[in-house]
Amino acid sequence: MAQRDLILMGPPGAGKGTHAEYLEQHLSYAHLSTGDLLREAVAAQTELGKQGQSYMDAGELVPDELVISLVRERLAQLDISDRFLLDGFPRTVAQAEALGRLLDDLSRGQPLVINLVVSDEEMVRRLGGRRLCEECGAIYNVHRDGLDVGDECPRCGGELYRRTDDEPQAVRRRLQVYKEQTAPLITYYQQRGQIVMVDAEQGQQQVSEELAELVEGGASKADND
Ligand code: ADP
Ligand code: ZN
């Protein structure tokens, strides 16, 4: 098999969403973002959305059971020949263990984990400047693109907004939650020989090229098979 399923990991603001979109478009990955799925559920005010909203607005994690069942449902819909890309999941060791079991049940191999590495200062700067298109979901940054809330999306003309959890107080909490609950997953996957590190402070194009190279066969360093 040429390509392997992927998990894109990294702190908030590392560029998971941006690079996942690139891999989805250029390498035909099925992109599964738990953050996007949860935001859709909130917008549609489904039962899941109602349960998840307060956690998300505060920058807290949504309870494991809710997120795991969401991912289980989505993975079960995939064809065995589809390659998936998980973005924002797993975020706790319990989620990683549940995912491992889920993939065993589906007779899939274990994914390659790519960890996007950025400094704390850069994370805060990026999240503070992040703006999204309410129509197509494209991600921009005030510092890089000069686009702000209320401006038109260059791609589709939709209006740009700022995520509630990109406000400073929620950003601080998300970084803390990342360090306490998600960063331990790096060791978890290192012990399993499944993870590679990518410097995500390079230019976006450089990171994209490095990712493409990794997934198109160069990932032997973390490859156990
Ligand atoms: P970011 O990576 O920029 O923090 P996401 O879009 O991945 O943003 O997630 C936004 C919010 O959605 C999180 O702060 C959390 O409340 C919730 N969320 C997303 N994925 C998970 C997950 N795997 N487990 C628990 N909560 C999650
Ligand atoms: Zn748009």
Side-chain angles (χ1 to χ4, degrees):
M1 209 174 296
Q3 285 177 21
R4 194 165 159 191
D5 294 322
L6 292 183
I7 295 173
L8 213 48
M9 260 187 61
K16 296 186 295 290
T18 303
H19 294 295
E21 201 181 305
Y22 175 89
L23 292 168
E24 180 180 18
Q25 282 172 10
H26 293 82
L27 298 165
S28 306
Y29 275 93
H31 177 199
L32 271 173
S33 158
T34 44
D36 286 349
L37 292 171
L38 288 167
R39 277 186 291 279
E40 280 165 26
V42 169
Q45 282 296 295
T46 63
E47 199 45 49
L48 172 69
K50 287 180 196 158
Q51 289 177 325
Q53 181 163 25
S54 57
Y55 296 100
M56 295 174 71
D57 286 348
E60 301 289 339
L61 293 184
V62 170
D64 284 338
E65 316 81 71
L66 292 181
V67 190
I68 291 167
S69 57
L70 181 67
V71 169
R72 178 186 298 121
E73 190 186 302
R74 294 291 165 144
L75 288 182
Q77 290 167 2
L78 292 178
D79 200 86
I80 191 76
S81 61
D82 293 334
R83 290 288 136 243
F84 68 75
L85 164 59
L86 280 171
D87 151 17
F89 182 94
R91 251 183 167 85
T92 63
V93 171
Q95 290 179 15
E97 288 169 346
L99 177 65
R101 286 193 296 271
L102 218 61
L103 295 175
D104 280 344
D105 290 347
L106 294 167
S107 304
R108 281 183 173 269
Q110 294 302 319
L112 175 69
V113 183
I114 296 177
N115 190 41
L116 298 176
V117 183
V118 295
S119 65
D120 285 9
E121 301 76 62
E122 181 64 11
M123 265 188 260
V124 171
R125 204 179 75 89
R126 288 187 188 179
L127 292 173
R130 178 160 69 182
R131 304 292 182 265
L132 287 92
C133 170
E134 59 180 23
E135 294 299 323
C136 74
I139 305 165
Y140 301 98
N141 199 290
V142 173
H143 310 301
R144 190 190 53 201
D145 310 306
L147 292 166
D148 210 338
V149 172
D151 287 344
E152 269 185 20
C153 171
R155 191 194 287 176
C156 80
E159 196 173 319
L160 302 191
Y161 74 101
R162 182 180 195 173
R163 270 169 47 177
T164 321
D165 61 352
D166 281 345
E167 303 291 341
Q169 201 183 345
V171 165
R172 278 195 294 276
R173 182 61 193 148
R174 281 159 67 205
L175 295 186
Q176 199 181 353
V177 167
Y178 171 79
K179 287 190 178 156
E180 289 170 6
Q181 306 201 50
T182 308
L185 284 179
I186 297 172
T187 315
Y188 176 91
Y189 284 119
Q190 271 168 342
Q191 285 164 350
R192 286 160 182 75
Q194 246 176 288
I195 192 167
V196 287
M197 304 292 165
V198 169
D199 172 6
E201 286 196 29
Q202 317 171 71
Q204 191 173 318
Q205 185 59 33
Q206 266 169 292
V207 177
S208 294
E209 282 167 17
E210 203 170 320
L211 293 178
E213 205 176 302
L214 272 175
V215 303
E216 283 181 319
S220 50
K221 259 202 301 188
D223 206 337
N224 277 338
D225 317 327

